[in-house]
Structures are given as C-alpha cells and as structure tokens.
Amino acid sequence: MMGSVSLNKRVYSTYVQIRTAIQQLKEWNENVHTPDHYYDSPEGMKNLAASCMLIEAIGKV
C-alpha cells in the first residue's frame, strides 16, 4: 500500500508542475495576437524561446 501512496504523490506533483507551466504560458503570451509579435522585437523572440522551452519541458514530464 505504501507504493501506491508514493505513486499518487508523484502523479499529483507532476500534475501540479504541468498546471503551473500552462498558467505561465498563458500569462507570458496573453498579449500575443499574431505570430508577428514574436518576430517584431528581441523581447518577442525571448518570449518565443522561453515558451518553446517550457512546452518541451511539459512534454518530458
């Protein structure tokens, strides 16, 4: 029974990490309305790079 408790904690922890990452993505990109936003400025390019890295991290969880 101890193993299932540990597994449940890991599953919940993973869920929280994914949910937090999705919230960050939503916040970081709330003002993005066109793809051009990412290419029009260095800040947009940084946002795109950071968002891609976060999406990749979610996929590896």
Side-chain angles (χ1 to χ4, degrees):
M1 194 67 175
M2 263 324 234
S4 66
V5 171
S6 177
L7 178 61
N8 287 343
K9 286 182 180 180
R10 282 191 289 152
V11 169
Y12 181 74
S13 175
T14 300
Y15 163 74
V16 169
Q17 289 175 355
I18 292 170
R19 193 174 104 196
T20 301
I22 291 170
Q23 281 303 115
Q24 285 179 320
L25 284 167
K26 289 169 86 175
E27 288 173 17
W28 294 351
N29 294 285
E30 67 186 348
N31 295 321
V32 175
H33 301 290
T34 68
D36 292 335
H37 173 84
Y38 294 115
Y39 302 109
D40 286 346
S41 70
E43 191 63 34
M45 292 294 289
K46 287 179 190 176
N47 184 11
L48 177 61
S51 295
C52 289
M53 284 194 244
L54 195 52
I55 291 168
E56 183 178 350
I58 290 170
K60 289 184 179 184
V61 174

